[in-house]
Amino acid sequence: MNRTTHRVVPLLALLLAGCATAPVSFQGVAPPGLETAYQCAVAQLNLMDYTIEDGNLEAGFVRGRRQTSGVVQELFTGAAHHDVLTASVFDNPATGNTHIRVVASRIADHDIGLLAGLDDDEEQGENQLGPSDSGKADAQRLLTNCGVVAATGGPAPQ
């Protein structure tokens, strides 16, 4: 390898590492009570300025989205970026413990560019991105504020 290759290969590896698209999951044991844990997750999403997109107590999940990109970024990239948190609450029948799992991800909505409304092309949709640092921190904050003492985390199961 020549000198240029020695510089480009590490840079390329660093860029590819930053482009991970896998969601990250955090979970832990909450104080007992499925409904209490669910209501806490909903309240925390609201307190962190997430818009509740979907949720169901019987199914034990709630999903919130918060825009993280600014107008200038949107005009230049043609995409609005959003952190997405999905909280699931469930009781483990074997232990009797109530668990909360929060999956952090990020999406880029490509239908908002400067000229998006001026053409007749079909919608471009959303791309899933790796979670932002603020999204991961919000997921951990939700767990902590809902009484989870020891949260574990890593890539979300596919």
Side-chain angles (χ1 to χ4, degrees):
M1 281 197 247
N2 63 30
R3 286 185 114 124
T4 303
T5 306
H6 283 287
R7 290 184 205 149
V8 172
V9 171
L11 179 61
L12 184 58
L14 181 64
L15 289 173
L16 290 175
C19 296
T21 60
V24 176
S25 176
F26 302 93
Q27 68 178 356
V29 176
L34 192 65
E35 186 171 345
T36 301
Y38 178 81
Q39 295 301 334
C40 182
V42 170
Q44 289 304 308
L45 288 170
N46 280 309
L47 288 169
M48 292 185 289
D49 293 327
Y50 282 77
T51 300
I52 304 298
E53 290 187 320
D54 199 2
N56 184 305
L57 175 59
E58 273 96 47
F61 84 97
V62 61
R63 181 176 48 247
R65 177 190 292 219
R66 180 178 67 195
Q67 185 166 334
T68 58
S69 57
V71 174
V72 173
Q73 179 184 3
E74 292 172 19
L75 290 174
F76 284 106
T77 66
H81 290 86
H82 301 265
D83 283 337
V84 177
L85 296 183
T86 303
S88 303
V89 297
F90 56 97
D91 286 328
N92 181 338
T95 63
N97 291 329
T98 299
H99 292 260
I100 302 176
R101 176 177 40 242
V102 183
V103 177
S105 62
R106 187 169 47 134
I107 58 168
D109 181 358
H110 291 282
D111 295 325
I112 57 88
L114 182 61
L115 303 175
L118 301 178
D119 61 25
D120 292 331
D121 293 344
E122 63 183 70
E123 293 185 6
Q124 295 177 12
E126 297 176 341
N127 288 340
Q128 184 161 341
L129 308 170
S132 68
D133 290 341
S134 64
K136 290 186 275 189
D138 288 345
Q140 292 174 326
R141 186 176 315 122
L142 185 151
L143 291 171
T144 300
N145 290 343
C146 288
V148 173
V149 177
T152 60
Q158 298 292 324

